[in-house]
Amino acid sequence: MRIRLTVLASAVMALLCTVAVLLVLGVLHGTAERYKTDEITTTAVRLAYQAKRDRLPPVLLGQDLAGVQVIDHYGRIVSVSDGLAGRPRMAAFRPELTSPETSKKLCDSPAFPGRCITVVAFRFHNTGGLWTIYAADDTVPFYVSGPLLAALLGGSLLLVGLTALGTYQTVRRALGPVEAITSKLARITATDLSQRVPVPKHHDEIRRLAETANQTLDRAETAVERQRRFASDASHDLRSPLTAMRTEIEEALLHSEDADWPATARALLGSCDRLQALVTDLLQLARLDAGAPPRREPADLAGLAARELDRRPRKVDLVRHLTPGVVVVVNRVALARLLNNLLDNGERHAVSALTVTVRREDGKGVLEVLDDGAGIPPDKREVVFQRFTRLDAARSKDAGGTGLGLSIARQIAQAHGGTLTIEDSERGARFVLRLPLAPAR
C-alpha cells in the first residue's frame, strides 16, 4: 500500500506541476512576445526618426535585432542592417491606413529562410511620400528561455521528489500500527488466544480497528474456552454411562451361568436411556449454538402450556393458573422443549406439587414453573444455567440428569428474544420465562 500511495501521490503532484509549468510558460510567453514586439517597434520608431533627418546610412551597423530594412516610397531598400545586405525584402505587408504600425509572425520570409521571425512594419511620412521600416527578430520559443525552463523543471522534480518522500514516510508512520496489529495477529493461535493487539494512542480509525480486533479476540477466547469446557464435560458425561454399561457386561460375563440377564438388560437400558438423552441434548445445543433462526408463528402461551401438561405422566400434582389470550410469536416445538425441561427439573426437586402459571405482565407474556422443594440459593441461580452444571441436591435426587436441560431452556428463551431467570419465592425454585407479546392486529 505504501508504494501504491506513494506512486499515486507522486503522479498527482507531477500532473499538477505539469499544469502549473504550462500555465506559467503560457503567461510568460505572452508577456515575452509583447515585450519583444515593443522592443522591435521602438527600434523601428528610432530609425524612422533618423530617416526623417537623413541620418540613415545604407548599411546599419550594431543593431540588436535580427534584421532591419528601410523601404522608400518607390519600394526600394534604401537602408539595411549588415546581416541582411543583398537579401530581398523580408515582408510585403503594410500597416492599415488607420494605424502607423503592425506586426506579424513569418516563417517563410525570403530574407530569413528556415527561420520564424516577428516582423514589425512601421509606416511614416518622409521625402517624396510614405516610407516603411521593417524590423524583425526571432520569435520567442514556447519555453521562453532555457534557464527558465530548467528552473521550472528542476522545481517540479524537487516537488515530486519531496511529495514521494513525504507520502512514503507519512503512510509508513500511519500504517505502523496496522503492521504491529498484523504481526500480533499472525502470532496468535487457537491454542493461545490470551494475547491482544496493541492499541494506538491516537483516537482514529486504526485505534477503532485495534479495539474491535481485541473485542473479537475476547469473544473468540470465551467461545474457545467454552468449547473446551463443553468438550471436557461432554466426554466425562458420555464416559459415565458407557463405563456403567461396560461394568454391567463384564460382571455378567465373569459369572455367565449365575448372571441375571434380564436385570443386566434393564440396567443396560437405563444407561442407554441416559446416553440417548445426553446425545439428544448435545444435538439440541449444537443447533442452538449454530444460531439458525427457528420458524415462528403466533401461539397462545396458555394453550401451549395446557397441551404439554395434559400429555405428561403425573409424578407430582400439577396446579394450573393459565390466563388465556397471552399470544406470543414462538416456535412451538422449541417452546415445548423449554417447558418440558422446566417441568422435568421441577419434578426432580418438588416434594408434592408443581405450579404452572401463565399471565400477561408489563407488555410481556410470562410463564412460571414453581416447585415446592428446597429451592436454589441466590448465589447458585446463575450457575444452574451453565452447561453440565448439577448441584449436589440434583445429583442426590436424580443421577440420570444430563445437566443440560436448563442451559437449553435459557438458550431457547434468548433465541426468541426473551429471558429465563430464577426469581424469589416463599418456597421452592421459581423459574420465570418472559417473552415479547405478538404485535396487535
Side-chain angles (χ1 to χ4, degrees):
M1 177 178 284
R2 282 180 291 184
I3 300 299
R4 291 199 303 270
L5 290 177
T6 300
V7 171
L8 179 61
S10 301
V12 172
M13 179 54 70
L15 178 61
L16 292 176
C17 288
T18 301
V19 173
V21 167
L22 292 177
L23 288 175
V24 169
L25 288 178
V27 172
L28 293 179
H29 184 269
T31 302
E33 280 191 330
R34 288 192 296 272
Y35 179 79
K36 175 75 74 174
T37 302
D38 292 342
E39 187 180 30
I40 297 172
T41 302
T42 300
T43 300
V45 171
R46 178 175 54 81
L47 292 175
Y49 180 79
Q50 292 178 3
K52 281 179 172 289
R53 286 161 176 73
D54 295 329
R55 296 178 181 176
L56 285 179
V59 178
L60 302 171
L61 301 176
Q63 299 297 319
D64 294 332
L65 304 181
V68 175
Q69 292 176 336
V70 181
I71 312 297
D72 65 9
H73 63 282
Y74 293 112
R76 296 173 300 183
I77 300 175
V78 297
S79 184
V80 65
S81 57
D82 57 348
L84 291 182
R87 295 189 185 183
R89 285 176 56 169
M90 67 177 72
F93 68 91
R94 292 182 179 181
E96 299 290 336
L97 294 177
T98 58
S99 175
E101 59 89 17
T102 187
S103 63
K104 285 187 178 181
K105 290 182 181 179
L106 300 178
C107 292
D108 55 355
S109 173
F112 296 95
R115 292 170 65 181
C116 289
I117 58 174
T118 299
V119 180
V120 173
F122 184 79
R123 185 182 58 199
F124 65 99
H125 287 276
N126 203 4
T127 305
L130 293 175
W131 287 32
T132 304
I133 294 179
Y134 292 103
D137 204 354
D138 292 319
T139 58
V140 179
F142 76 92
Y143 54 85
V144 183
S145 69
L148 174 64
L149 181 62
L152 291 175
L153 292 179
S156 299
L157 292 176
L158 179 62
L159 281 177
V160 172
L162 291 176
T163 300
L165 179 62
T167 302
Y168 185 86
Q169 293 296 333
T170 301
V171 174
R172 183 181 66 82
R173 287 195 298 269
L175 294 182
V178 177
E179 292 182 351
I181 292 172
T182 303
S183 177
K184 177 63 73 172
L185 287 174
R187 293 196 296 269
I188 296 175
T189 63
T191 57
D192 182 16
L193 291 173
S194 61
Q195 301 185 60
R196 295 296 178 266
V197 300
V199 179
K201 61 180 180 180
H202 300 293
H203 292 271
D204 53 14
E205 292 80 0
I206 298 178
R207 181 185 179 95
R208 290 197 293 273
L209 171 64
E211 291 173 345
T212 303
N214 285 336
Q215 292 169 3
T216 302
L217 289 172
D218 289 339
R219 292 193 294 270
E221 184 179 20
T222 301
V224 169
E225 184 60 29
R226 185 167 57 245
Q227 288 296 104
R228 287 173 181 166
R229 290 198 305 269
F230 179 79
S232 176
D233 294 339
S235 62
H236 176 271
D237 278 53
L238 286 171
R239 267 198 311 269
S240 297
L242 289 174
T243 302
M245 295 168 68
R246 184 181 183 87
T247 301
E248 292 286 344
I249 294 172
E250 289 178 346
E251 185 177 352
L253 289 175
L254 284 175
H255 309 284
S256 58
E257 295 85 0
D258 301 328
D260 187 350
W261 289 105
T264 301
R266 286 192 294 271
L268 291 176
L269 282 175
S271 297
C272 287
D273 290 340
R274 184 184 176 194
L275 189 61
Q276 183 178 8
L278 184 59
V279 171
T280 301
D281 286 346
L282 290 174
L283 290 174
Q284 179 66 26
L285 282 174
R287 295 190 189 98
L288 292 172
D289 287 340
R295 182 176 176 273
R296 304 178 190 180
E297 58 184 344
D300 187 302
L301 193 55
L304 193 149
R307 283 192 295 273
E308 294 303 317
L309 292 174
D310 290 341
R311 65 164 58 107
R312 287 181 64 86
R314 297 292 185 94
K315 296 182 179 179
V316 295
D317 293 336
L318 291 174
V319 180
R320 308 184 188 191
H321 300 292
L322 308 179
T323 302
V326 181
V327 180
V328 292
V329 180
V330 295
N331 179 275
R332 294 174 180 268
V333 175
L335 197 63
R337 178 68 184 273
L338 184 155
L339 177 57
N340 279 294
N341 285 0
L342 294 182
L343 294 173
D344 290 341
N345 180 78
E347 287 177 349
R348 281 197 295 269
H349 300 88
V351 175
S352 59
L354 276 177
T355 301
V356 180
T357 303
V358 172
R359 68 178 184 276
R360 186 192 305 263
E361 181 181 282
D362 298 331
K364 302 279 187 180
V366 179
L367 184 147
E368 290 185 4
V369 176
L370 173 64
D371 63 66
D372 59 352
I376 300 175
D379 60 332
K380 301 293 185 181
R381 289 180 180 177
E382 283 299 314
V383 176
V384 298
F385 290 107
Q386 297 177 5
R387 297 177 181 183
F388 297 106
T389 297
R390 303 181 69 211
L391 303 181
D392 294 338
R395 295 183 184 277
S396 63
K397 287 181 176 290
D398 182 10
T402 64
L404 294 173
L406 294 180
S407 178
I408 292 173
R410 171 167 277 189
Q411 283 197 248
I412 292 174
Q414 292 174 343
H416 286 79
T419 60
L420 177 62
T421 57
I422 302 174
E423 299 185 3
D424 294 336
S425 60
E426 294 181 359
R427 183 181 180 185
R430 176 170 164 248
F431 288 83
V432 181
L433 169 69
R434 288 182 170 84
L435 295 172
L437 292 173
R441 295 183 178 179

